[in-house]
């Protein structure tokens, strides 16, 4: 695989209309043909069932609110979670893990990042430019320490174990986490600018346009009741999915099983934290089916099944813009009742970790109403695949040069920053492997051995 082309300079605002304020253009006519090629009459029944299920679940979600999000202790993960705990995590698609990183270490990371940003203030960019809340920083020593912390890696390995392969020959090793460099947030009280509405990060029109990505949702597109058999945790069809067909900044181009962040502050509801729609099956099914239907009366706000009809003659994919994130709102996806169903993450302490499945609809609270900063390091759980290894090789090269990671806004990044992290500073063998600095080792002679062999080749190791 060839290296990804360097992205233009910019910030996180580039692919969110909710941040940039720009309206997207109409999709090309070929998207009407795409809908027609995917259409089955049995999708009408799927739509009916999903709307009925949504109507029932909205009330339950609104009633339970934040309590619906599972919380577990890191020590419980080490001891082994119960079947019920695992079932709850997989159904909601989100989990809070308490006590994974010692509080003192997490607070020290924040202190070190602030010092690094102050020392290199003329080099540091972010959003918004005049009062940065989200920093375009990727190569600080604190971030490298956080990504390679033994407990962080152990958490990622557990989360990847919740996935499986329907095809044993799929070239993905769920036992070997790898590091995906991302940015950080230090959101100050009162901020209203870093407002992300409901969205999913893994592509927009790519969900339907790319055949491999579309295969992940084949049960939903099968029609009838088959949507109930959709398995969000099957890694096999994800391996070759293309999440970024338009080579834009801020779009994750690899298989990232879980998105996540590690808290560097005490943060809770109404303090600028994460919000999620806590039912991955329903959220995904509605997302995939929505483009095929429209209101019979465009002026009507009725959500009743009988007041909606088939829409396969237009290129409309609500909330989808070429090269942007898939976004949602009350107008584009009204049955989701986002004002009632987007629930905030529970209160966390420094060192706690929050993870959400890559398909989970999520958002960031519109205003930080707390009294202290709401600060996180974005650290996901990513499995070893050959494509991910190719990406890691370029990420490693950028890291050594102090440049932004391949998926993020380009430019000189931190190449001229004083005190940035370097590969030679990383000593622990496991830490070096997850960064792609040393070759991976296979724990078995079975199916994962081939993945490890090919991944090491992609990383340039003999």
């Amino acid at each position: 695989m060839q290296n990804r082309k360097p992205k233009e300079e910019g910030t996180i605002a580039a692919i969110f209309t909710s941040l940039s304020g720009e309206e997207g253009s109409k999709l090309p006519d070929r998207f009407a043909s795409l809908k027609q090629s995917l259409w089955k009459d049995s999708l009408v029944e799927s739509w009916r069932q999903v709307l009925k299920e949504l109507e029932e679940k909205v009330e339950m979600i609104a009633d339970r609110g934040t309590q619906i999000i599972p919380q577990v202790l890191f020590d419980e993960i080490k001891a082994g979670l119960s079947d019920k705990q695992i079932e709850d995590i997989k159904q909601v698609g989100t989990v809070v893990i308490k006590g994974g990183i010692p509080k003192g270490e997490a607070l020290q990371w924040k202190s070190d990042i602030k010092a690094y940003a102050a020392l290199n203030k003329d080099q540091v960019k972010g959003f918004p430019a005049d009062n940065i809340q989200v920093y375009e920083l990727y190569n600080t020593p604190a971030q490298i320490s956080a990504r390679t912390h033994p407990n962080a890696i152990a958490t990622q390995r557990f989360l990847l174990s919740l996935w499986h392969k329907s095809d044993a020959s799929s070239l993905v090793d769920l036992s070997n986490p790898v590091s995906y460099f991302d940015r950080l947030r230090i959101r100050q009280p009162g901020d209203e600018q870093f407002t992300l509405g409901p969205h999913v990060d893994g592509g927009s029109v790519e969900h339907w346009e790319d055949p491999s990505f579309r295969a992940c949702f084949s049960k939903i597109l099968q029609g009838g009741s088959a949507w109930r058999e959709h398995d969000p945790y099957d890694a096999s069809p994800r391996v070759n999915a293309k999440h970024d067909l338009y080579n834009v900044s801020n779009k994750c181009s690899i298989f990232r099983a879980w998105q996540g962040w590690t808290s560097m502050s005490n943060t809770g509801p109404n303090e600028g934290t994460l919000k999620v729609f806590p039912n991955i099956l329903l959220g995904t099914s509605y997302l995939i089916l929505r483009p095929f239907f429209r209101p019979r009366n465009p002026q009507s706000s009725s959500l009743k099944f009988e007041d909606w009809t088939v829409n396969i003659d237009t290129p409309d994919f609500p909330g989808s813009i070429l090269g942007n994130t898939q976004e949602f709102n009350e107008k584009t996806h009204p049955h989701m009742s986002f004002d009632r169903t987007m629930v905030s993450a529970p209160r966390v302490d420094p060192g706690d970790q929050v993870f959400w499945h890559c398909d989970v609809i999520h958002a960031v609270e519109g205003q930080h109403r707390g009294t202290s900063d709401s600060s996180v390091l974005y650290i996901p759980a990513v499995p070893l695949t050959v494509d991910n290894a190719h990406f890691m090789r370029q990420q490693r090269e950028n890291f050594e040069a102090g440049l932004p990671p391949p998926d993020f806004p380009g430019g000189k990044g931190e190449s001229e920053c004083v005190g940035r992290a370097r590969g030679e500073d990383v000593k622990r063998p496991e830490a070096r492997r997850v960064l792609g600095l040393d070759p991976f080792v296979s724990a078995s002679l079975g199916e994962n051995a081939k993945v490890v062999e090919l991944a090491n080749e992609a990383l340039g190791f003999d």
Side-chain angles (χ1 to χ4, degrees):
M1 174 175 289
Q2 296 181 343
N3 278 1
R4 290 150 172 86
K5 297 178 181 178
K7 306 297 194 300
E8 296 180 358
E9 291 191 57
T11 69
I12 193 172
I15 60 166
F16 285 96
T17 58
S18 54
L19 288 180
S20 67
E22 298 178 0
E23 292 293 331
S25 57
K26 181 180 178 181
L27 293 178
D29 290 342
R30 59 187 171 87
F31 283 94
S33 299
L34 174 61
K35 285 202 289 189
Q36 291 161 16
S37 71
L38 298 176
W39 176 254
K40 298 180 181 69
D41 289 344
S42 55
L43 289 176
V44 173
E45 175 60 17
S46 302
W47 180 247
R48 186 191 68 79
Q49 292 182 16
V50 168
L51 295 193
K52 183 176 184 297
E53 191 92 1
L54 263 175
E55 186 177 5
E56 297 171 358
K57 288 294 193 295
V58 162
E59 298 304 320
M60 183 273 288
I61 292 170
D63 181 60
R64 294 192 61 194
T66 293
Q67 296 178 0
I68 202 171
I69 297 178
Q71 300 185 58
V72 299
L73 300 175
F74 178 73
D75 286 344
E76 290 182 288
I77 289 176
K78 290 194 296 183
L81 298 185
S82 69
D83 290 345
K84 178 64 165 57
Q85 286 175 306
I86 290 175
E87 179 185 349
D88 288 345
I89 293 170
K90 294 180 74 171
Q91 183 179 80
V92 173
T94 304
V95 61
V96 175
I97 298 169
K98 307 284 291 182
I101 307 297
K103 183 176 181 178
E105 289 188 56
L107 291 173
Q108 186 62 53
W109 288 336
K110 181 171 64 175
S111 177
D112 291 347
I113 288 167
K114 287 182 175 180
Y116 177 93
L119 183 62
N120 297 286
K121 61 182 179 180
D122 293 336
Q123 311 293 329
V124 176
K125 297 181 179 181
F127 175 85
D130 60 345
N131 184 23
I132 297 176
Q133 311 291 313
V134 182
Y135 288 78
E136 296 297 321
L137 292 176
Y138 307 91
N139 301 309
T140 70
Q143 284 169 294
I144 297 300
S145 294
R147 293 172 189 141
T148 60
H149 193 286
N151 291 2
I153 296 173
T155 297
Q156 294 163 28
R157 185 170 285 117
F158 158 71
L159 290 165
L160 294 178
S161 75
L162 302 184
W163 287 67
H164 66 96
K165 297 193 287 187
S166 59
D167 179 357
S169 65
S170 300
L171 293 177
V172 53
D173 181 355
L174 297 168
S175 67
N176 263 321
V178 303
S179 184
Y180 179 84
F181 286 31
D182 206 331
R183 46 169 78 87
L184 63 95
R185 177 186 86 215
I186 301 180
R187 193 178 185 190
Q188 300 299 331
D191 175 66
E192 298 182 46
Q193 290 187 273
F194 182 53
T195 300
L196 297 183
H199 65 280
V200 290
D201 293 317
S204 59
V205 291
E206 287 90 345
H207 286 89
W208 303 270
E209 187 179 12
D210 175 61
S212 295
F213 199 7
R214 188 168 67 235
C216 300
F217 314 108
S218 59
K219 288 293 184 181
I220 300 172
L221 291 166
Q222 185 174 316
S225 300
W227 67 274
R228 298 181 185 278
E229 302 170 22
H230 169 63
D231 184 356
Y233 298 93
D234 181 3
S236 292
R238 305 268 175 172
V239 174
N240 297 314
K242 301 293 186 295
H243 305 89
D244 176 18
L245 294 175
Y246 300 95
N247 192 45
V248 296
S249 295
N250 302 292
K251 290 286 285 289
C252 180
S253 63
I254 68 169
F255 173 26
R256 176 176 54 174
W258 295 85
Q259 296 173 240
W261 49 247
T262 299
S263 182
M264 299 185 293
S265 64
N266 299 100
T267 303
N270 299 313
E271 297 179 356
T273 194
L274 174 78
K275 303 180 77 173
V276 298
F277 178 80
N279 188 306
I280 189 171
L281 175 60
L282 266 182
T284 304
S285 297
Y286 184 78
L287 159 64
I288 297 300
L289 294 173
R290 173 66 179 90
F292 300 98
F293 300 90
R294 61 172 173 79
R296 292 183 184 275
N297 178 1
Q299 306 306 317
S300 172
S301 60
S302 174
L303 302 182
K304 295 180 179 179
F305 166 75
E306 56 267 26
D307 291 331
W308 286 63
T309 189
V310 175
N311 175 25
I312 57 173
D313 296 323
T314 74
D316 297 340
F317 279 73
S320 299
I321 298 173
L322 296 183
N324 269 38
T325 294
Q326 175 71 45
E327 296 192 71
F328 308 78
N329 58 49
E330 296 290 348
K331 181 178 179 181
T332 61
H333 296 78
H335 299 87
M336 298 292 288
S337 300
F338 288 122
D339 60 331
R340 305 182 67 205
T341 59
M342 293 298 292
V343 302
S344 298
R347 175 160 292 281
V348 295
D349 298 317
D352 292 346
Q353 302 165 84
V354 180
F355 286 90
W356 59 101
H357 185 285
C358 55
D359 292 340
V360 162
I361 298 169
H362 59 288
V364 177
E365 291 179 339
Q367 183 179 10
H368 180 357
R369 296 189 175 93
T371 58
S372 59
D373 63 84
S374 174
S375 303
V376 305
L377 297 166
Y378 294 106
I379 303 175
V382 178
L384 182 65
T385 73
V386 180
D387 184 32
N388 287 4
H390 280 287
F391 179 90
M392 288 178 67
R393 182 170 185 168
Q394 188 175 358
Q395 178 178 263
R396 180 184 64 197
E397 293 169 357
N398 289 19
F399 166 49
E400 295 286 14
L403 300 175
D407 280 344
F408 293 89
K412 66 180 182 180
E414 296 161 74
S415 59
E416 298 176 6
C417 285
V418 176
R420 65 177 170 83
R422 301 175 187 275
E424 63 198 41
D425 302 328
V426 182
K427 305 299 184 182
R428 200 164 49 84
E430 183 182 47
R432 292 185 59 81
R433 285 195 294 271
V434 301
L435 297 177
L437 298 172
D438 283 348
F440 287 89
V441 294
S442 177
S444 70
L445 298 177
E447 60 199 45
N448 288 337
K450 184 65 174 178
V451 182
V452 170
E453 177 187 350
L454 293 174
N456 283 337
E457 288 180 10
L459 284 164
F461 298 117
D462 295 330

